[in-house]
Coordinates of all heavy atoms in Angstrom, one line a residue:
P1 N -3.5 1.0 18.6 CA -4.5 1.5 17.7 C -5.1 0.4 16.9 O -4.5 -0.6 16.7 CB -3.8 2.6 16.9 CG -2.4 2.1 16.8 CD -2.1 1.4 18.1
T2 N -6.3 0.7 16.3 CA -6.9 -0.2 15.4 C -6.1 -0.3 14.1 O -5.7 0.7 13.5 CB -8.3 0.2 15.0 OG1 -9.1 0.1 16.3 CG2 -9.0 -0.7 14.0
T3 N -5.8 -1.5 13.6 CA -5.1 -1.7 12.4 C -6.2 -2.0 11.3 O -6.9 -3.0 11.4 CB -4.0 -2.7 12.4 OG1 -3.1 -2.5 13.5 CG2 -3.3 -2.9 11.2
R4 N -6.1 -1.3 10.3 CA -7.1 -1.4 9.2 C -6.4 -1.9 7.9 O -5.3 -1.5 7.7 CB -7.8 -0.1 8.9 CG -8.7 0.5 10.0 CD -9.3 1.8 9.6 NE -8.2 2.8 9.4 CZ -8.4 3.9 8.7 NH1 -9.6 4.1 8.1 NH2 -7.5 4.8 8.6
C5 N -7.1 -2.8 7.2 CA -6.5 -3.3 6.0 C -7.3 -2.9 4.7 O -8.5 -2.6 4.7 CB -6.5 -4.9 6.1 SG -5.3 -5.5 7.2
A6 N -6.6 -3.0 3.6 CA -7.2 -2.7 2.3 C -6.2 -3.2 1.2 O -5.2 -3.6 1.5 CB -7.4 -1.2 2.2
K7 N -6.8 -3.2 0.0 CA -6.0 -3.5 -1.2 C -6.1 -2.3 -2.1 O -7.2 -1.7 -2.4 CB -6.5 -4.8 -1.9 CG -6.3 -6.0 -1.0 CD -6.8 -7.3 -1.8 CE -6.6 -8.5 -0.9 NZ -7.1 -9.7 -1.6
V8 N -4.9 -1.9 -2.6 CA -4.8 -0.7 -3.5 C -4.5 -1.2 -4.9 O -3.6 -2.2 -5.1 CB -3.8 0.3 -3.0 CG1 -4.3 0.9 -1.7 CG2 -2.5 -0.2 -2.9
R9 N -4.9 -0.5 -5.9 CA -4.6 -0.9 -7.3 C -3.3 -0.3 -7.7 O -3.0 0.9 -7.4 CB -5.7 -0.4 -8.2 CG -7.1 -1.2 -8.2 CD -8.0 -0.6 -9.2 NE -8.3 0.8 -9.0 CZ -8.0 1.8 -9.7 NH1 -7.2 1.6 -10.7 NH2 -8.4 3.0 -9.4
A10 N -2.5 -1.1 -8.5 CA -1.3 -0.6 -9.1 C -1.1 -1.2 -10.4 O -1.7 -2.3 -10.7 CB -0.1 -1.1 -8.1
P11 N -0.3 -0.6 -11.3 CA -0.1 -1.2 -12.6 C 0.8 -2.5 -12.5 O 1.6 -2.6 -11.6 CB 0.8 -0.1 -13.3 CG 0.6 1.1 -12.5 CD 0.4 0.6 -11.1
M12 N 0.4 -3.4 -13.3 CA 1.2 -4.7 -13.4 C 2.7 -4.4 -13.8 O 3.6 -4.8 -13.2 CB 0.6 -5.8 -14.3 CG 1.4 -7.0 -14.4 SD 0.7 -8.2 -15.5 CE -0.9 -8.6 -14.7
D13 N 2.7 -3.5 -14.8 CA 4.1 -3.0 -15.2 C 4.1 -1.5 -15.1 O 3.4 -0.8 -15.9 CB 4.3 -3.5 -16.6 CG 5.7 -3.0 -17.2 OD1 6.5 -2.5 -16.4 OD2 5.9 -3.1 -18.4
W14 N 4.9 -0.9 -14.3 CA 4.9 0.5 -14.1 C 5.5 1.2 -15.3 O 5.2 2.4 -15.5 CB 5.7 0.9 -12.9 CG 5.0 0.8 -11.6 CD1 4.9 -0.3 -10.7 CD2 4.2 1.8 -11.0 NE1 4.1 -0.1 -9.7 CE2 3.6 1.3 -9.8 CE3 3.8 3.1 -11.4 CZ2 2.7 1.9 -9.0 CZ3 2.9 3.8 -10.6 CH2 2.4 3.3 -9.4
A15 N 6.2 0.5 -16.2 CA 6.7 1.1 -17.4 C 5.7 1.2 -18.5 O 5.9 2.1 -19.4 CB 7.9 0.3 -17.9
A16 N 4.6 0.4 -18.4 CA 3.6 0.4 -19.3 C 2.2 0.2 -18.6 O 1.7 -0.9 -18.7 CB 3.8 -0.6 -20.5
P17 N 1.7 1.1 -17.9 CA 0.5 1.0 -17.1 C -0.8 0.5 -17.8 O -1.6 -0.1 -17.2 CB 0.3 2.3 -16.4 CG 1.6 3.0 -16.5 CD 2.2 2.6 -17.7
D18 N -0.8 0.8 -19.1 CA -2.0 0.5 -19.8 C -1.9 -0.9 -20.6 O -2.8 -1.3 -21.2 CB -2.4 1.5 -20.9 CG -2.6 2.9 -20.2 OD1 -3.2 2.9 -19.0 OD2 -2.2 3.9 -20.7
A19 N -0.8 -1.5 -20.5 CA -0.5 -2.7 -21.3 C -1.0 -4.0 -20.7 O -1.1 -5.0 -21.3 CB 1.1 -2.8 -21.6
H20 N -1.3 -3.9 -19.4 CA -1.7 -5.2 -18.7 C -2.8 -4.8 -17.7 O -2.9 -3.7 -17.4 CB -0.5 -5.8 -18.0 CG 0.7 -6.0 -18.8 ND1 0.9 -7.2 -19.5 CD2 1.8 -5.2 -19.0 CE1 2.0 -7.0 -20.2 NE2 2.6 -5.9 -19.8
P21 N -3.5 -5.8 -17.2 CA -4.5 -5.6 -16.2 C -3.8 -5.1 -14.9 O -2.6 -5.4 -14.7 CB -5.1 -7.0 -15.9 CG -4.8 -7.7 -17.1 CD -3.5 -7.3 -17.7
D22 N -4.6 -4.3 -14.1 CA -4.0 -3.9 -12.8 C -3.8 -5.1 -11.9 O -4.4 -6.1 -12.0 CB -4.9 -2.9 -12.1 CG -4.8 -1.5 -12.9 OD1 -3.9 -1.2 -13.6 OD2 -5.8 -0.6 -12.7
I23 N -3.0 -4.8 -10.9 CA -2.8 -5.8 -9.8 C -3.3 -5.1 -8.5 O -3.6 -3.9 -8.5 CB -1.3 -6.3 -9.6 CG1 -0.5 -5.1 -9.3 CG2 -0.9 -7.0 -10.8 CD1 0.8 -5.6 -8.6
E24 N -3.4 -5.9 -7.4 CA -3.7 -5.3 -6.1 C -2.6 -5.6 -5.1 O -1.9 -6.6 -5.2 CB -5.0 -5.9 -5.6 CG -6.2 -5.6 -6.3 CD -7.5 -6.1 -5.7 OE1 -7.4 -7.2 -5.2 OE2 -8.5 -5.4 -5.7
V25 N -2.3 -4.6 -4.3 CA -1.3 -4.7 -3.2 C -2.0 -4.6 -1.9 O -2.7 -3.6 -1.6 CB -0.2 -3.6 -3.4 CG1 0.8 -3.7 -2.3 CG2 0.5 -3.8 -4.8
A26 N -1.8 -5.5 -1.0 CA -2.4 -5.6 0.3 C -1.6 -4.7 1.2 O -0.4 -4.9 1.4 CB -2.6 -7.0 0.8
I27 N -2.3 -3.9 2.0 CA -1.7 -3.0 3.0 C -2.4 -3.0 4.3 O -3.6 -3.3 4.3 CB -1.4 -1.6 2.5 CG1 -2.7 -0.9 2.3 CG2 -0.6 -1.6 1.3 CD1 -2.7 0.6 1.9
A28 N -1.7 -2.8 5.4 CA -2.3 -2.6 6.7 C -1.8 -1.3 7.3 O -0.7 -1.0 7.1 CB -1.9 -3.8 7.6
Y29 N -2.7 -0.6 7.9 CA -2.3 0.8 8.4 C -3.0 1.1 9.8 O -4.1 0.7 10.0 CB -2.9 1.8 7.3 CG -2.7 3.3 7.7 CD1 -1.4 3.8 7.6 CD2 -3.8 4.1 7.9 CE1 -1.2 5.2 7.9 CE2 -3.6 5.4 8.2 CZ -2.3 5.9 8.2 OH -2.1 7.3 8.4
S30 N -2.2 1.8 10.6 CA -2.7 2.3 11.9 C -2.1 3.6 12.1 O -0.9 3.9 11.7 CB -2.3 1.3 13.0 OG -0.9 1.3 13.2
E31 N -2.9 4.5 12.7 CA -2.4 5.9 13.0 C -1.7 6.0 14.3 O -2.1 5.3 15.3 CB -3.6 6.9 12.9 CG -4.2 7.0 11.5 CD -5.4 8.0 11.5 OE1 -5.7 8.5 12.5 OE2 -5.8 8.2 10.3
A32 N -0.8 6.8 14.5 CA 0.0 7.0 15.7 C -0.9 7.4 16.8 O -1.8 8.3 16.6 CB 1.1 8.0 15.5
T33 N -0.7 6.9 18.0 CA -1.6 7.4 19.1 C -1.1 8.6 19.8 O -1.8 9.2 20.5 CB -1.6 6.2 20.2 OG1 -0.2 6.0 20.6 CG2 -2.2 4.9 19.6
G34 N 0.2 9.0 19.4 CA 0.7 10.3 19.8 C 0.9 11.2 18.6 O 0.2 11.0 17.6
T35 N 1.9 12.1 18.7 CA 2.2 13.0 17.6 C 3.1 12.1 16.6 O 4.2 11.7 17.0 CB 3.0 14.2 18.1 OG1 2.2 14.9 19.0 CG2 3.3 15.1 16.9
S36 N 2.6 12.0 15.4 CA 3.2 11.1 14.5 C 4.5 11.8 14.0 O 4.6 12.9 13.6 CB 2.3 10.8 13.3 OG 3.0 10.1 12.3
Q37 N 5.6 11.0 13.9 CA 6.9 11.4 13.3 C 6.9 11.1 11.8 O 7.8 11.5 11.1 CB 8.1 10.8 14.0 CG 8.3 11.2 15.5 CD 9.6 10.9 15.9 OE1 10.6 11.2 15.2 NE2 9.8 10.3 17.1
G38 N 6.0 10.3 11.3 CA 6.0 10.0 10.0 C 5.4 8.6 9.7 O 4.8 8.0 10.6
L39 N 5.6 8.1 8.5 CA 5.0 6.8 8.0 C 6.1 5.7 8.1 O 7.1 5.9 7.3 CB 4.4 7.0 6.6 CG 3.8 5.7 6.0 CD1 2.4 5.4 6.8 CD2 3.5 5.9 4.6
M40 N 5.9 4.7 8.9 CA 6.9 3.6 9.0 C 6.4 2.4 8.3 O 5.4 1.8 8.6 CB 7.2 3.4 10.5 CG 8.1 2.1 10.8 SD 9.8 2.5 10.2 CE 10.4 3.6 11.5
M41 N 7.2 1.9 7.3 CA 6.9 0.7 6.5 C 8.0 -0.4 7.0 O 9.1 0.0 7.4 CB 6.9 0.9 5.1 CG 6.6 -0.3 4.3 SD 6.6 0.0 2.5 CE 5.1 1.0 2.3
T42 N 7.7 -1.7 6.9 CA 8.6 -2.7 7.2 C 8.5 -3.8 6.2 O 7.6 -3.9 5.4 CB 8.3 -3.3 8.6 OG1 6.9 -3.8 8.6 CG2 8.3 -2.3 9.7
N43 N 9.6 -4.7 6.2 CA 9.6 -5.8 5.3 C 10.4 -6.9 6.1 O 11.5 -6.7 6.6 CB 10.2 -5.5 4.0 CG 10.3 -6.7 3.1 OD1 11.2 -7.6 3.1 ND2 9.2 -6.9 2.2
P44 N 9.9 -8.2 6.1 CA 10.5 -9.2 6.9 C 11.6 -10.0 6.1 O 12.3 -10.8 6.8 CB 9.3 -10.1 7.2 CG 8.4 -10.0 6.0 CD 8.5 -8.6 5.5
G45 N 11.7 -9.8 4.8 CA 12.7 -10.6 4.0 C 12.1 -11.5 3.0 O 11.0 -11.3 2.7

């Protein structure tokens, strides 16, 4: 499937979201070509 990319806003500090500028987190997303069992995330280390 087509993999789409975006950046989402998040607090720099989740304990004090208003104390610092926001940051961006880059994500890539594709939808299951069959019946989806859920959302699978990965991390390489």
Side-chain angles (χ1 to χ4, degrees):
T2 296
T3 304
R4 298 176 296 157
C5 285
K7 293 182 179 180
V8 299
R9 288 184 297 106
M12 182 179 293
D13 178 14
W14 278 95
D18 299 323
H20 307 274
D22 287 343
I23 65 163
E24 291 184 323
V25 175
I27 60 174
Y29 178 69
S30 65
E31 295 183 353
T33 58
T35 301
S36 177
Q37 293 200 47
L39 181 67
M40 176 68 75
M41 184 181 287
T42 60
N43 182 274

